[in-house]
C-alpha cells in the first residue's frame, strides 16, 4: 500500500517533466539493488552451481589423457607463458573483477619457484606436446595467413629503450586474441630468448608467478612441460597452467611456441583453477635500431596470445585494454636487470640452459609452410568461384522461362513486371540453396 500511495502521489505532479523526474528518483534505487544483487550472486556463487561444468571438464580431460590422444597435437594456445602471458596482457588493475567460483581447497605446491625440479625426461623421439604442426600454425599467424579475421589496432607506446604496438581480434567462438610487437634496444635475440624462458629469474620481475616447476623435458629438442601457478588479484582465485613449450631456430630468429597441454600427472584441483585454453607464442629476431645507425642492435618480439581465464571475455577484454601498457612497460627494467646479471658471470639457470637447445630449421622449410598456405587459399578461391557457376544454370532457366512467359502474355507492363519479380525471387532462392 505504501508503494501504491507513493506512485499515485508522483502521478499527481502538475507537469510531465516533474512526473518523469520523480519516477527516475523512485526507480533508481531498485535498479541499484538489482545490479548489486547480480554482482553479489556472481561473486559468491555456491560450489554446487559448478558441479555440472566441472564434471564435463573432468570427462574431457580423462579422454584427452588416453595414449591415442597424447600422440596427436594438442589444442593450441598462449600470449606468453614465457613471455609472461598474463603479465603482458592482464593488468594489475583488474582487481575489481570477481571470480565466478569461490574455492576453499588448499593447493599442495608451496609458493616457491623450483625450475630445476624435473620429474622425468621426455622419451627420445616423443615430442608430441609441441609439434611441427604447431610451428606451422604459428608461422601462418606471423605471416597473417591463418585465415582469421583482420587485426584491430589498439595502441602504440614507447620508452627510451622500448617500443610497443598491440592489436586484437575477436573470433566467432573463443576468447579475444592479442598480437603485439615489441622492440628492445641494445640487446640480442639470444638474451631475450633466455630471459623469457628463465623461470628461476622470472619472480624478480613478474610478481604474479607463485610457483614454477618443470615436469618433463627433452634434452634433444628442448621441449619442456611446465607447471605454473599465477597469483590473480583480489576476488579472483589463483590460476594454474600446465603447458608445453619448444623453440625452433632459423638463423638468429627464434620461434618460441607455448601452449596448454593435457597432463595427467598433475591432478586437477578446485583451487587454484586450471586454465586449459592457453596459447602464447612469439618470434624473436634482430632488427635495426631506432637510432637510425643501420645496425642490428635491437631485438623484435612478435607475440600472439589468448587464453580462457574463466572470466567473462568482455570483462577481461576491458581490463586488458586498460592495464596493458602499464604492465608491459615493467618488462624492460626486468630485461636490463637480467642482462646485467648475465654479464656479471653468474651461473646459467637450468631453464635458460634448456632455452639454448633448439630445433634447427632452414628458411626453405619455413617457406614451405607459406607455399602450403597459398595453395590452400587458392583451392578455397577456386572452389568458391566454381559454386556460383553450378547454380547459375537453374537461375538461367528460371529467368529464361520468365521471359518466354512474359512475352506470351499481352497484359501490359504490370503483368510482365510481376512475372519477372517472381522469377528473380525464385532465382535468388535457388542461389542460396
Amino acid at each position: 500500500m505504501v508503494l501504491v500511495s507513493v506512485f499515485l502521489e508522483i502521478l499527481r505532479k502538475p507537469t510531465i517533466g516533474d512526473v518523469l523526474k520523480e519516477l527516475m528518483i523512485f526507480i533508481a534505487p531498485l535498479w541499484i539493488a538489482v545490479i548489486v544483487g547480480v554482482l553479489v550472486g556472481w561473486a559468491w556463487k555456491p560450489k554446487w552451481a559448478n558441479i555440472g561444468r566441472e564434471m564435463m571438464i573432468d570427462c574431457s580431460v580423462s579422454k584427452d589423457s588416453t595414449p591415442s590422444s597424447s600422440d596427436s597435437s594438442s589444442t593450441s594456445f598462449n600470449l606468453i607463458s614465457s613471455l609472461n602471458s598474463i603479465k603482458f596482457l592482464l593488468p594489475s588493475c583488474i582487481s575489481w573483477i570477481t571470480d565466478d567460483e569461490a574455492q576453499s581447497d588448499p593447493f599442495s605446491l608451496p609458493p616457491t619457484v623450483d625450475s630445476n625440479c624435473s620429474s622425468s625426461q621426455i622419451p627420445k623421439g616423443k615430442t608430441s606436446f609441441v609439434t611441427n604442426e604447431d610451428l606451422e600454425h604459428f608461422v601462418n599467424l606471423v605471416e597473417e595467413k591463418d585465415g582469421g579475421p583482420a587485426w584491430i589496432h589498439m595502441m602504440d607506446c614507447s620508452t627510451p629503450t622500448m617500443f610497443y604496438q598491440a592489436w586484437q581480434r575477436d573470433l566467432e567462438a573463443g576468447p579475444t586474441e592479442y598480437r603485439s610487437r615489441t622492440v628492445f634496444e641494445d640487446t640480442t635475440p639470444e638474451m631475450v630468448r633466455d630471459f623469457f624462458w628463465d623461470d628461476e629469474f622470472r619472480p624478480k620481475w613478474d610478481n604474479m608467478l607463485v610457483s614454477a616447476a618443470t615436469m618433463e623435458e627433452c634434452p634433444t629438442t628442448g621441449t619442456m612441460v611446465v607447471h605454473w601457478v599465477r597469483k590473480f588479484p583480489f576476488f579472483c582465485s589463483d590460476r594454474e597452467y600446465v603447458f608445453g613449450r619448444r623453440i625452433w631456430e632459423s638463423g638468429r630468429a627464434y620461434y618460441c611456441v607455448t601452449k596448454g597441454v593435457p597432463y595427467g600427472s598433475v591432478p586437477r584441483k578446485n583451487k587454484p583453477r586450471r586454465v586449459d585454453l592457453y596459447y602464447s607464442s612469439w618470434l624473436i629476431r634482430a632488427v635495426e635500431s631506432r637510432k637510425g645507425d643501420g645496425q642490428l642492435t635491437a631485438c623484435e618480439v612478435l607475440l600472439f596470445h589468448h587464453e580462457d581465464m574463466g572470466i567473462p571475455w568482455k570483462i577481461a577484454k576491458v581490463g586488458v585494454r586498460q592495464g596493458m601498457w602499464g604492465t608491459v612497460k615493467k618488462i624492460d627494467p626486468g630485461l636490463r636487470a637480467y642482462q646485467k646479471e648475465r654479464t656479471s658471470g653468474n651461473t646459467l639457470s637450468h631453464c635458460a640452459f634448456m632455452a639454448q637447445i633448439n630445433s634447427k630449421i632452414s628458411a626453405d622449410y619455413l617457406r614451405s609452410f607459406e607455399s602450403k598456405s597459398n595453395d590452400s587459399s587458392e583451392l578455397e578461391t577456386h572452389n568458391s568461384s566454381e559454386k556460383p557457376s553450378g547454380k547459375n544454370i537453374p537461375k538461367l532457366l528460371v529467368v529464361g522461362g520468365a521471359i518466354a512467359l512474359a512475352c506470351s502474355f499481352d497484359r501490359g507492363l504490370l503483368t510482365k513486371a510481376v512475372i519477372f519479380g517472381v522469377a528473380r525471387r525464385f532465382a535468388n532462392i535457388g542461389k542460396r540453396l
Side-chain angles (χ1 to χ4, degrees), residues 355-379:
Q356 299 178 7
I357 304 176
N358 310 144
S359 300
K360 304 295 191 296
I361 53 176
S362 64
D364 292 337
Y365 183 71
L366 292 174
R367 280 192 290 270
S368 68
F369 293 152
E370 298 179 23
S371 62
K372 189 185 300 184
S373 176
N374 292 334
D375 292 341
S376 62
S377 300
E378 291 176 1
L379 180 61

Side-chain angles (χ1 to χ4, degrees), residues 119-178:
S119 60
S120 61
Q121 288 190 356
I122 299 175
K124 187 176 181 179
K126 180 184 177 183
T127 58
S128 59
F129 290 110
V130 186
T131 66
N132 287 339
E133 285 76 14
D134 298 310
L135 173 63
E136 180 179 359
H137 173 67
F138 179 48
V139 171
N140 288 331
L141 284 174
V142 171
E143 300 297 332
E144 299 187 39
K145 296 181 180 179
D146 64 309
W151 294 95
I152 301 174
H153 183 261
M154 294 177 63
M155 66 180 69
D156 290 344
C157 300
S158 64
T159 67
T161 56
M162 184 181 73
F163 177 70
Y164 180 75
Q165 295 175 294
W167 297 263
Q168 67 178 19
R169 67 180 182 181
D170 294 318
L171 305 180
E172 293 183 0
T176 301
E177 294 185 349
Y178 296 92

Side-chain angles (χ1 to χ4, degrees), residues 37-73:
V38 170
L39 292 177
V40 171
W42 180 32
W44 281 276
K45 184 168 60 176
K47 186 175 181 179
W48 54 263
N50 291 316
I51 291 178
R53 183 181 62 183
E54 291 174 357
M55 290 176 63
M56 293 177 64
I57 294 175
D58 290 338
C59 291
S60 64
V61 170
S62 62
K63 291 179 181 179
D64 292 340
S65 300
T66 61
S68 60
S69 63
S70 64
D71 292 334
S72 61
S73 56

Side-chain angles (χ1 to χ4, degrees), residues 106-114 209-213 227-229:
F107 183 62
S108 58
L109 289 180
T112 59
V113 176
D114 184 9
L209 184 62
V210 176
S211 67
H227 178 267
W228 274 9
V229 175

